[in-house]
Structure formats: structure tokens, C-alpha cells
Amino acid sequence: MSDSHARILCTITDHPIDMQVLTEFVADPAAGAMATFVGMTRNTNEGRQVVRLEYECYPGMAEKEMGKIAEQVLTRWPVQKIAMMHRLGRVDIGEASVAIAVSSGHRHAAFEACHYAINQLKETVPIWKKELYEGGELWIGSQTGTAGAFQRVQEENRA
Amino acid sequence: MSDSHARILCTITDHPIDMQVLTEFVADPAAGAMATFVGMTRNTNEGRQVVRLEYECYPGMAEKEMGKIAEQVLTRWPVQKIAMMHRLGRVDIGEASVAIAVSSGHRHAAFEACHYAINQLKETVPIWKKELYEGGELWIGSQTGTAGAFQRVQEENRA
Amino acid sequence: MRIRLRYFASLRERLKRSEDTLDVPAGATVATVWEMLTQAHPELAPLERAIAFAVAQEYVDKTHPLQDNDELAFIPPVSGGSYV
Amino acid sequence: MRIRLRYFASLRERLKRSEDTLDVPAGATVATVWEMLTQAHPELAPLERAIAFAVAQEYVDKTHPLQDNDELAFIPPVSGGSYV
């Protein structure tokens, strides 16, 4: 358990996410539990009909920040392995944009670590999501609080 | 969302668990999040070298109790769909004995519902697990608390 | 009246069978059957606080009245929270 | 000294470019660059509390001193906790 790199997989990809890559990575004979999370594009958001999402990242820094989260997880919980993957570009309804898998001896650590990892990812990893909806587009994360100033909705009357 | 049966899959099987069956079942265009849990046979337990596990259930009642948990989940959380599967018979190291997938609009509900479902399953569903380890066998769940009276270890000197 | 009994897991191995039928008096409850069973197998008596009971595949407590042809299952501790 | 600037997402679209180079005085900090940027683009000033800064791909605060050839990235709010 000393070499943390062999226990961490962090990937940013332009291709569809294959969950099996993550679950096979975290498989371990000492693991009795695996928790996974998948974030997908859903068809509505706050009353808007979503057409698709588009993701971009800060290349290099995004992977580094994901790696920091994975290292934190290995420090804080008795976890065997963790795999995190984020997709960039166009992600259609029902497709996965982000996936995390965590294996551990017991289930509570797996759940807590996986939940922590996705929460942190969405706080600190420089990845941005643009929502294309019926009638406009919107950078998500920028429409509330102090970030409200970022809001930029292009009302397009397509009719 | 009115017909709960179309939103629940509960299966007990003698065959290896195929996660894709569960994740495809819970897929839903209104779901932005999916949490899954997989319980697997691990190679040690409380200091014992585990050879394999063997599961049996109370047929009929086990499915009914799983179904009750799934109904509770749909009542308590804004969840789209839930799939639960448990395997019976021999389950070797690294193989899955139980898997749960939950889809929902947002991630917190998916995590909470999935964690709840596995906790409840292990409390109430009449499925029993025998651990075969180096030197003996043991019905798990029976060795602590008031259940201690059930303990039955067959010390077999195999040398 | 006649009750069908079912044993699982450790209890099945201990009793060396998975089911029985038992004739019980009218008005019998789960507790009545448990007393009959522990009279025949005194070594089971200490298990009472660990065991659960199901009639017609629903958990019941010991006061549950039995009907003719009921299936009464003895449920040892299930696979448990602490393992995985 | 010369600093490389990077803009992402909403900021990139607003400024219609993804990077710049900027000559700054010795001793400049992140705050110095931010002030120069908002002088050139006054409409960015209200964003200050929402934006984060990274130098050499590490988050820093506004007091962070810059070195020649540093890459300073302006990080708009990331994809966010509330969506999924």
C-alpha cells in the first residue's frame, strides 16, 4: 500500500467513459466493497430543456487537481484504490461526463470516499460545463452567488 | 413516476453478477447521477485467510424483502430507478455477491439511497453467508452479540 | 393443525434438515412452536434472542397466531452489516 | 517581465481569446495583473469575488508574486456542486 500511484487512476478523455476501465482498475482481492459514481447529462435543469452539455478543462491543472483529491482519499480512508475519469467536449443526454470508482475493505469507507471525491472534484478541478438548452446556452456554476456576475445567457429565438 | 414496478429491479441469481444489467436498468434521461455499490469476496476477514464464500437465501422471501427496500428508497428519496441483485452459491475472491445501482436527478440522493439500500439489505433480507477460510468455516453474522450462540466453527486440520 | 417449518443456514446444518412438518394445537402461536422445537432440541434454547421468525414469508413476532398450513421459517442472523 | 495569461470558459468567450501575454513590472503580483486586466476590460471588475487564480497550475491568492514567464490562469466558477 506504499506506492500510491499504483492505487490511483486519474484520466481526462475526449471519448465516452467506459466504466469497466475504472472498475477493473480498482479491483483488488483485499477489497470487499466498491462504490461508484457516474454523473450524466440529464434532460432538464432548473426548468430548462437541456439539449446537451459541453465540457472544457484547463489541461494539465485539471489532472493535477484530480490527483490531489485521489491522494487525499487514500490518506483519509482505508481505501484500496480509486479511479476518476472526466470527459471533455460534447456529452449528450444520458451519457456520462464523470465517473469515480473506489474500492475498500468495508462499504462505509467506499461510500464516504466516493462521495467526497465527487464533491471535491466539483469544487476544485478546473473543468467547466456549458449547458445548451432550448433557447440558449449557459456556463453552469456561474449563475448563483458571487458567481452570478458570470452569467451569460444567449437568448436565441430559434423559431 | 407513478408505476414503481417499472422503476425497480430486484433479482436473486445463481450466476455471476453483470453490472451492466443494473446500470442499463437504472439509466434514465432525467437522471444526472448514478451511485452503485458492489460487495465482493475479499481474501481476508478478521485475520482469517478466506478461501471463498457461499450464500443461500430463503427463496421468495428474500426477493420480497429486497423489493420492500426498493419501495422504501423510492418513497424516501427523489430517485429515478433502483436495481438490486444478489448472487447465491459459491462466490470466489474478487467476485461480486451483491450489487445495487440507483439513479437520480442529483448525486446526494443517489449516494444516500444506495448506501441505505445496502445497509437495509444486510439487516433484513434473509440471505446467509458462509465463510470458508483456511482451517474452517463460519456462518457470518452469527458470531457477535446475541447471535454469538449461533457460532459454529468446524476446525478442520487439513494437514 | 399442521405447520410447515423451514430451517436455513446454521440452523439447517445444526438440525441436519431444511424443513419439517409439525402438528400443533388450535390457537398455537410462533412461541408455541418454538417451545416445542426447543423441547425436542434443548441446545437451540439459547438462540432465542438471535433468531427471527417469518410466517408466510413475512417477519412476525413470537405472539403471531398460526393458521393451518402456515409456513413458519426460523431466520438465523442474516449475512450482516459488519462484514463488507 | 512577461507573463502568460490564460482564459477559460465564460471568460474566454467574453474576451474572445484563450490566452494573452502581458509585460508587467518587477514585483508584480496576481493583483497587479488583475488590475491591469480590469483597466483594459472594466466589465470584468465585478467578477473579482467569483474568480480564482492559478499560477503554474496551482491555485494562489491575489498576493502571490509573479516570476518572469509565469503562466497565470483565471479560473471562472468550476462546473459546480449544485448541478448533478
Side-chain angles (χ1 to χ4, degrees):
Chain A
M1 308 264 285
S2 57
D3 181 4
S4 68
H5 289 292
R7 298 162 58 205
I8 291 174
L9 175 72
C10 286
T11 308
I12 290 180
T13 176
D14 294 318
H15 302 289
I17 292 176
D18 180 355
M19 271 309 288
Q20 210 168 343
V21 172
L22 286 84
T23 59
E24 285 179 3
F25 179 84
V26 302
D28 191 301
M34 178 180 67
T36 78
F37 175 79
V38 181
M40 301 161 292
T41 302
R42 63 169 195 277
N43 58 8
T44 61
N45 187 39
E46 296 177 358
R48 298 182 295 273
Q49 289 294 313
V50 177
V51 176
R52 67 174 185 272
L53 298 177
E54 287 179 2
Y55 289 87
E56 67 176 71
C57 81
Y58 184 0
M61 183 171 172
E63 291 90 335
K64 281 171 67 171
E65 290 294 323
M66 281 171 70
K68 288 180 189 174
I69 295 167
E71 296 276 3
Q72 285 167 10
V73 161
L74 296 187
T75 304
R76 295 191 189 184
W77 285 276
V79 153
Q80 299 297 323
K81 294 177 184 170
I82 178 169
M84 306 173 75
M85 194 173 291
H86 207 297
R87 182 175 175 188
L88 298 181
R90 169 181 175 155
V91 183
D92 289 336
I93 306 293
E95 291 186 341
S97 55
V98 58
I100 298 175
V102 176
S103 62
S104 62
H106 298 267
R107 69 182 182 272
H108 297 293
F111 273 113
E112 285 186 10
C114 188
H115 200 165
Y116 173 85
I118 183 64
N119 285 351
Q120 286 297 109
L121 186 149
K122 289 177 166 288
E123 291 284 325
T124 65
V125 177
I127 294 176
W128 298 273
K129 167 163 60 185
K130 182 195 266 186
E131 177 186 302
L132 290 86
Y133 61 93
E134 298 290 351
E137 59 182 56
L138 180 63
W139 285 99
I140 299 297
S142 60
Q143 70 275 44
T144 55
T146 59
F150 270 102
Q151 184 161 350
R152 174 175 168 280
V153 182
Q154 299 168 328
E155 290 294 342
E156 298 168 356
N157 278 323
R158 300 179 183 183
Chain B
M1 307 266 285
S2 58
D3 182 4
S4 68
H5 289 294
R7 297 163 58 205
I8 292 174
L9 174 71
C10 286
T11 307
I12 291 180
T13 176
D14 294 319
H15 303 288
I17 291 176
D18 180 356
M19 272 309 287
Q20 210 168 343
V21 172
L22 287 83
T23 59
E24 286 179 3
F25 179 83
V26 302
D28 191 301
M34 178 179 67
T36 77
F37 175 79
V38 181
M40 300 160 291
T41 303
R42 66 169 192 276
N43 56 8
T44 61
N45 188 38
E46 296 177 358
R48 299 183 294 272
Q49 289 294 314
V50 176
V51 176
R52 66 174 186 273
L53 299 177
E54 287 179 1
Y55 289 85
E56 66 176 72
C57 81
Y58 183 0
M61 184 171 171
E63 290 91 333
K64 281 171 65 171
E65 290 294 323
M66 282 171 70
K68 287 180 191 175
I69 295 167
E71 296 276 3
Q72 285 166 10
V73 162
L74 295 189
T75 302
R76 294 190 190 186
W77 285 277
V79 153
Q80 298 297 323
K81 294 176 183 170
I82 179 169
M84 308 175 73
M85 195 174 289
H86 208 296
R87 182 175 174 188
L88 300 181
R90 170 182 176 156
V91 182
D92 289 336
I93 306 292
E95 291 186 341
S97 54
V98 59
I100 298 176
V102 176
S103 62
S104 62
H106 298 266
R107 67 182 183 275
H108 297 293
F111 273 113
E112 286 188 8
C114 189
H115 201 164
Y116 173 86
I118 183 62
N119 284 352
Q120 286 297 109
L121 186 149
K122 290 177 165 289
E123 291 284 325
T124 65
V125 177
I127 294 176
W128 299 274
K129 166 162 60 184
K130 182 195 267 185
E131 177 187 301
L132 290 86
Y133 61 92
E134 298 290 351
E137 58 182 57
L138 178 63
W139 286 99
I140 299 296
S142 60
Q143 71 273 46
T144 55
T146 58
F150 269 102
Q151 185 162 352
R152 174 176 168 279
V153 181
Q154 299 168 329
E155 290 294 341
E156 300 169 353
N157 278 323
R158 298 177 183 185
Chain C
M1 56 189 186
R2 175 159 289 193
I3 304 298
R4 187 178 177 205
L5 307 182
R6 299 196 62 174
Y7 314 120
F8 296 99
S10 52
L11 200 58
R12 173 178 51 70
E13 290 190 349
R14 190 185 281 256
L15 293 171
K16 295 185 170 51
R17 57 193 183 280
S18 59
E19 49 187 88
D20 264 334
T21 52
L22 187 70
D23 290 314
V24 301
T29 65
V30 169
T32 313
V33 176
W34 179 250
E35 280 159 30
M36 294 169 75
L37 188 69
T38 51
Q39 276 192 325
H41 303 278
E43 74 277 14
L44 300 185
L47 307 187
E48 180 172 329
R49 290 203 303 165
I51 211 165
F53 306 97
V55 171
Q57 303 193 341
E58 296 284 347
Y59 287 108
V60 296
D61 66 28
K62 284 175 61 186
T63 65
H64 185 84
L66 295 169
Q67 313 285 335
D68 192 28
N69 288 319
D70 265 349
E71 177 172 288
L72 168 57
F74 302 96
I75 314 279
V78 300
S79 65
S82 66
Y83 184 80
V84 169
Chain D
M1 58 189 185
R2 176 159 289 191
I3 304 297
R4 186 176 176 208
L5 307 182
R6 299 195 63 173
Y7 314 120
F8 296 100
S10 52
L11 201 57
R12 173 178 51 70
E13 290 191 347
R14 190 185 284 254
L15 293 171
K16 295 186 169 49
R17 58 193 182 276
S18 59
E19 50 188 85
D20 264 331
T21 52
L22 188 67
D23 289 314
V24 301
T29 64
V30 169
T32 313
V33 176
W34 179 250
E35 279 158 32
M36 294 169 74
L37 188 69
T38 51
Q39 277 191 326
H41 303 278
E43 74 277 15
L44 299 185
L47 308 185
E48 180 172 331
R49 292 200 303 164
I51 212 164
F53 306 96
V55 170
Q57 303 193 343
E58 297 284 344
Y59 286 108
V60 296
D61 65 29
K62 284 174 60 186
T63 66
H64 185 85
L66 294 169
Q67 313 285 334
D68 191 29
N69 289 319
D70 264 349
E71 176 173 292
L72 166 59
F74 302 95
I75 313 279
V78 301
S79 67
S82 67
Y83 185 80
V84 168

